[in-house]
Amino acid sequence: TYMTENPSNITVGLDGVANPFREHNITPNYILGDMDSINKDTERYFKSLGVTFVPRPKQDATDLEKGIT
């Protein structure tokens, strides 16, 4: 299991929201998805902050479906 923190203190973003999160100075605890929507600079930035990336490579599901499964 990935999430060991208190759930009320966790911010999770799907890969498509990672770029806007960075623009608005929001740092999630986790980024989930197939990582096709996140630009590489943003990915490197969040990795440097210790954000956990949870790959969900399944291409026949939407990002939302990947996030809730």
Side-chain angles (χ1 to χ4, degrees), residues 25-46:
N25 296 314
I26 299 168
T27 302
N29 300 88
Y30 300 89
I31 296 176
L32 295 94
D34 56 14
M35 307 307 156
D36 65 342
S37 302
I38 186 173
N39 73 47
K40 294 303 174 194
D41 288 336
T42 298
E43 184 175 351
R44 282 190 293 273
Y45 171 77
F46 282 131

Side-chain angles (χ1 to χ4, degrees), residues 6-66:
N6 179 338
S8 66
N9 298 327
I10 294 174
T11 304
V12 177
L14 302 174
D15 65 314
V17 78
N19 300 316
F21 269 13
R22 183 177 179 193
E23 291 171 14
H24 295 283
N25 296 314
I26 299 168
T27 302
N29 300 88
Y30 300 89
I31 296 176
L32 295 94
D34 56 14
M35 307 307 156
D36 65 342
S37 302
I38 186 173
N39 73 47
K40 294 303 174 194
D41 288 336
T42 298
E43 184 175 351
R44 282 190 293 273
Y45 171 77
F46 282 131
K47 284 183 176 180
S48 77
L49 296 178
V51 173
T52 301
F53 283 73
V54 183
R56 300 279 193 222
K58 190 175 178 184
Q59 288 298 322
D60 59 339
T62 67
D63 283 345
L64 179 60
E65 290 169 325
K66 293 172 192 172

